[in-house]
Amino acid sequence: MQLVLENVVQKVGAATWLYPMSLSLQSNVVTVLLGATQAGKTSLMRIMAGLDTPTEGRVWVDGQDVTGMPVRQRNVAMVYQQFINYPSMTVAQNIASPLKLRGDTDIAHKVHSLAQRLHIEPFLDRLPAELSGGQQQRVALARALAKDAPLMLLDEPLVNLDYKLREGLRDELTQLFEAGRSTVVYATTEPAEALMLGGYTAVLERGELLQYGPTSEVFRSPKSLRVARAFSDPPMNLVPVQLQEGGAQMRLPNGVVLALRQPVATADAAAVLGVRASALTLQAQPGSVEVRGQVHLAEISGSDTFVHVQLPWGDWVVQLTGVHKVPLNAPISVYLMPDACYVFDSERAADQGGALLQLPAHAQGG
């Protein structure tokens, strides 16, 4: 299925929820809508589904203009953050309902297979009200997958599940999407989830489409500071720098100079250096640059430790894999690799819109 949005705009009263955007989704792959709350993800999905009509612009499906065509006339499956199931039907009947409507055979086997993958097989004879919220959400997911619609829309479907189950289901969903025939649109606020799902990613912020492309490419080569921040969790560490020697090196506020493998082509000496938390280390490596600071906070989240370090120019976060004990208020050295640095122009640094001036060396080859 080929879904194309052409100059779509969505306004509600005097407020603009979606600014003009055009988007041609890749067929039969996953497109992730990545953005913070109120970025416009749900508004865009409702237009894709036919639940809302855009204020301006057109929606095309396989070359047919479906703008304004109601959702009941489209073959779409959608899962919301808040699960929706048929309360009077058992779990098995909920999952089987789209299969029966389609006239499928061997329904019982397909129901059990989906239930097993989504870890709800023990609850097939129960009513949704007898399940936990997370279990009910998995029933809604199973029913949407059973529909096998050409367009499947999932609006943060795992947000209400516990961390461990969410990690496992991401892997299962990726396999299910690859085995299916649907064009999948998956909304999330989590960059890690976008990377795990792969496919393509559209980065949204406050109703604007900032960038769209293969997920790995958008992550490694953000076109602007806004994209880099949206695709970094925790947010990308930033610091103003001065470019020197024709853009071949940069000077940090504490006087440390970083040599760049590829000179930055810009007439403006002022720039913004960005480094993801996961690219920083507490151990020296060949070619790394040391910056000394003080531990402000250390927090453990999932299987990672986030160390907040007070550096000469402010607070930066270092993301370490595993659980680490880091003494508070202790002096510490943070190491960064020039190849892992992003350089943005400072023209619109105040609103974090600066354009990318240089790709990290490890991203040059794609």
Side-chain angles (χ1 to χ4, degrees):
M1 175 185 180
Q2 179 66 49
L3 176 65
V4 177
L5 306 178
E6 180 183 356
N7 297 319
V8 165
V9 175
Q10 185 72 328
K11 296 181 179 180
V12 179
T16 300
W17 287 15
L18 294 176
Y19 291 90
M21 66 175 68
S22 295
L23 185 62
S24 179
L25 298 187
Q26 296 294 316
S27 299
N28 302 326
V29 297
V30 178
T31 289
V32 177
L33 302 183
L34 175 64
T37 302
Q38 297 185 335
K41 303 185 297 295
T42 299
S43 298
L44 190 58
M45 294 181 96
R46 289 181 63 86
I47 288 174
M48 292 176 176
L51 292 167
D52 292 332
T53 301
T55 306
E56 301 175 22
R58 317 303 296 173
V59 180
W60 302 84
V61 172
D62 294 333
Q64 178 186 0
D65 186 353
V66 298
T67 311
M69 180 184 292
V71 65
R72 64 179 177 275
Q73 296 180 24
R74 305 192 196 182
N75 191 0
V76 178
M78 189 165 184
V79 178
Y80 299 89
Q81 293 180 30
Q82 300 301 323
F83 44 83
I84 300 176
N85 295 304
Y86 300 116
S88 60
M89 293 183 179
T90 65
V91 169
Q93 290 169 337
N94 265 277
I95 300 172
S97 58
L99 299 172
K100 290 180 177 178
L101 286 173
R102 197 167 60 232
D104 270 25
T105 58
D106 201 13
I107 291 176
H109 173 74
K110 293 176 181 177
V111 167
H112 277 82
S113 177
L114 276 171
Q116 187 176 38
R117 280 180 173 259
L118 292 168
H119 311 291
I120 51 176
E121 194 175 18
F123 316 122
L124 285 173
D125 294 328
R126 297 188 189 180
L127 295 173
E130 300 174 292
L131 307 180
S132 69
Q135 290 163 352
Q136 291 187 58
Q137 181 68 315
R138 282 179 273 159
V139 174
L141 273 168
R143 193 175 70 251
L145 290 165
K147 190 173 182 179
D148 198 23
L151 178 62
M152 185 180 301
L153 306 172
L154 300 104
D155 190 1
E156 299 187 52
L158 307 184
V159 71
N160 294 320
L161 305 182
D162 64 70
Y163 175 81
K164 204 166 196 179
L165 180 59
R166 191 163 63 242
E167 292 294 304
L169 280 182
R170 281 174 184 156
D171 290 336
E172 290 286 357
L173 287 176
T174 301
Q175 295 175 30
L176 287 167
F177 295 156
E178 289 176 351
R181 298 168 295 176
S182 300
T183 296
V184 179
V185 182
Y186 188 108
T188 182
T189 60
E190 301 180 27
E193 193 162 48
L195 287 168
M196 188 172 293
L197 290 169
Y200 284 67
T201 291
V203 181
L204 301 173
E205 184 181 87
R206 291 175 289 183
E208 295 182 62
L209 175 62
L210 304 182
Q211 188 172 342
Y212 173 65
T215 297
S216 59
E217 179 181 309
V218 177
F219 178 77
R220 292 197 299 253
S221 307
K223 290 182 178 179
S224 70
L225 186 48
R226 292 171 68 188
V227 175
R229 287 182 65 87
F231 216 147
S232 302
D233 185 24
M236 180 174 281
N237 297 300
L238 303 172
V239 60
V241 295
Q242 290 292 318
L243 298 175
Q244 300 177 340
E245 301 296 328
Q249 62 185 33
M250 68 177 78
R251 180 179 293 273
L252 279 66
N254 66 337
V256 171
V257 175
L258 275 72
L260 299 175
R261 180 174 296 184
Q262 177 178 336
V264 173
T266 177
D268 186 3
V272 175
L273 167 68
V275 184
R276 288 193 169 98
S278 57
L280 297 169
T281 69
L282 301 183
Q283 289 83 35
Q285 302 177 39
S288 64
V289 175
E290 178 186 14
V291 182
R292 296 180 179 179
Q294 186 178 43
V295 177
H296 175 64
L297 174 69
E299 54 183 346
I300 298 171
S301 178
S303 58
D304 291 331
T305 301
F306 296 88
V307 184
H308 296 253
V309 180
Q310 188 67 35
L311 296 177
W313 50 79
D315 188 66
W316 271 22
V317 180
V318 182
Q319 181 178 355
L320 305 175
T321 301
V323 177
H324 301 264
K325 291 184 178 180
V326 184
L328 297 182
N329 301 318
I332 195 169
S333 291
V334 174
Y335 298 89
L336 61 141
M337 296 292 295
D339 290 355
C341 294
Y342 293 82
V343 185
F344 303 90
D345 67 46
S346 60
E347 180 181 353
R348 291 177 292 152
D351 67 355
Q352 301 171 358
L356 182 69
L357 296 175
Q358 179 207 26
L359 300 184
H362 59 71
Q364 296 291 342

